[in-house]
Every structure is written in structure tokens, then in C-alpha cells.
Amino acid sequence: MAVLPIKTFPDPVLNRVCRQVNEVDDDLKQLSQDMLDTMYAAPGVGLAAPQVGRDLRLVVIDCTPRDQEPQPLVLFNPRIVEMEGQVIFEEGCLSVPDFTSDVTRAERVVVKAMDLEGRPITVEGNGLMAICLQHELDHLEGRLFLDRISPLKRSLYKKRRLKQIKRGDE
Ligand code: ZN
């Protein structure tokens, strides 16, 4: 079990557009496992590769309630092929400490991706799962949920965060 350090705003790796994964080799299998360990330890419901400093199109997700059997999902090169409806949910992010905000997203999405064995996989998400998929996929485009809130709210958080970092209590 390896828990990786999580990159936080405003680390520039979080703004990078991530690279396509061509083949799931042993290193990437290990990275996915480490990302799952990191996500469960945080605890969080999703984690994208740039959050651990890797600009790769890889996300891990588990939206199962904590008192149930875990259902980890590892997705390479995920892309949304269908989206519908609208839902507003108060989001947070392991890379955006001490902040949550309402974000508007699609209520249902269908995502196509490649699984750990390199096979094509289709995932349908509703509610929390749909929100989580959209949030994590945004990370692969270098986007944070901060980019989906009002500019005023975003700049207030930015100021607060930079002060926090200056004081050294990250
Ligand atoms: Zn996030």
C-alpha cells in the first residue's frame, strides 16, 4: 500500500492537459493501485493522475458508501459520450483544500474508457457517480471545479489560499 502526496492548488500540474495512455504496463497498474490507496486514505471518492503529479489520462473512482463493499473503478483515456439533465451539487476536491462550492453538472453521463486490462469499458453514471465522473474527467483537461464557479468566488478562494500558503499552514 502506497499513499502518494496530493498536489494542491495552485500547483501548475493541475492545469496541464493530460496525455493519452497507449498501453497499460506494470508501472501504470502500480500507479492505479497507489492512486486507489491514496484516494481511500484521503478519504475521497475520486482521484485523477495530475493530482499525484502525473499528466496522464487516468482516473480512479469509488462512490460506494463507506459501509459497503468497495467498488473501485480504474479508467484510462475516459471520455464522455452521452450526457443529459442538470444537477447542482456542493463539490470539494482533494487538491483544493478547505473549500466547497455548488457546481452545475449533467445528471447522467455515459463514459467510454479502457480498463486495467486494456479492454474497452463503458460506464454509466447517475447522481453522485455522474458528478464524480465529470469532476475527475475535468482534471484530465487541466480544469478544477474552481473553473466552474463564479469568478468572484474563485478569486476570493485564490486570495485566501495564497495567504494560507505564505503563512506556511498548507
Ligand atoms: Zn478534484
Side-chain angles (χ1 to χ4, degrees):
M1 157 138 180
V3 173
L4 307 169
I6 295 178
K7 305 286 182 188
T8 54
F9 178 82
D11 192 311
V13 73
L14 298 170
N15 296 122
R16 229 175 272 166
V17 175
C18 295
R19 289 178 291 129
Q20 196 84 3
V21 173
N22 294 321
E23 190 196 342
V24 184
D25 58 17
D26 288 347
D27 282 350
L28 285 177
K29 281 184 182 158
Q30 186 60 53
L31 177 63
S32 328
Q33 188 53 57
D34 292 347
M35 281 172 60
L36 282 169
D37 292 342
T38 305
M39 177 186 79
Y40 287 124
V45 292
L47 194 69
Q51 294 183 274
V52 292
R54 304 285 299 268
D55 61 341
L56 294 168
R57 304 189 84 81
L58 159 62
V59 303
V60 299
I61 290 174
D62 191 346
C63 293
T64 324
R66 294 286 139 172
D67 55 357
Q68 287 173 28
E69 194 67 18
Q71 283 180 40
L73 198 57
V74 177
L75 303 174
F76 294 92
N77 307 327
R79 58 184 208 284
I80 294 174
V81 293
E82 260 178 61
M83 56 203 298
E84 66 178 322
Q86 209 176 65
V87 63
I88 297 173
F89 185 78
E90 188 179 352
E91 294 187 23
C93 177
L94 296 174
S95 294
V96 182
D98 309 318
F99 185 71
T100 59
S101 181
D102 281 351
V103 180
T104 306
R105 306 252 190 207
E107 196 176 19
R108 172 186 167 270
V109 294
V110 177
V111 168
K112 284 192 187 290
M114 181 167 78
D115 72 7
L116 261 176
E117 315 304 326
R119 293 175 305 219
I121 174 179
T122 303
V123 181
E124 185 181 332
N126 287 285
L128 181 61
M129 182 63 172
I131 291 161
C132 191
L133 282 163
Q134 291 167 85
H135 177 117
E136 298 313 325
L137 267 63
D138 264 359
H139 276 295
L140 305 184
E141 305 303 331
R143 264 199 304 264
L144 298 173
F145 79 102
L146 292 176
D147 301 313
R148 295 192 179 273
I149 64 175
S150 79
L152 176 65
K153 265 191 162 176
R154 179 164 61 237
S155 72
L156 285 175
Y157 175 72
K158 209 169 180 173
K159 263 188 216 150
R160 178 155 66 86
R161 177 75 185 137
L162 294 178
K163 256 188 221 159
Q164 208 179 31
I165 291 170
K166 221 168 158 183
R167 278 204 314 265
D169 48 61
E170 284 188 58

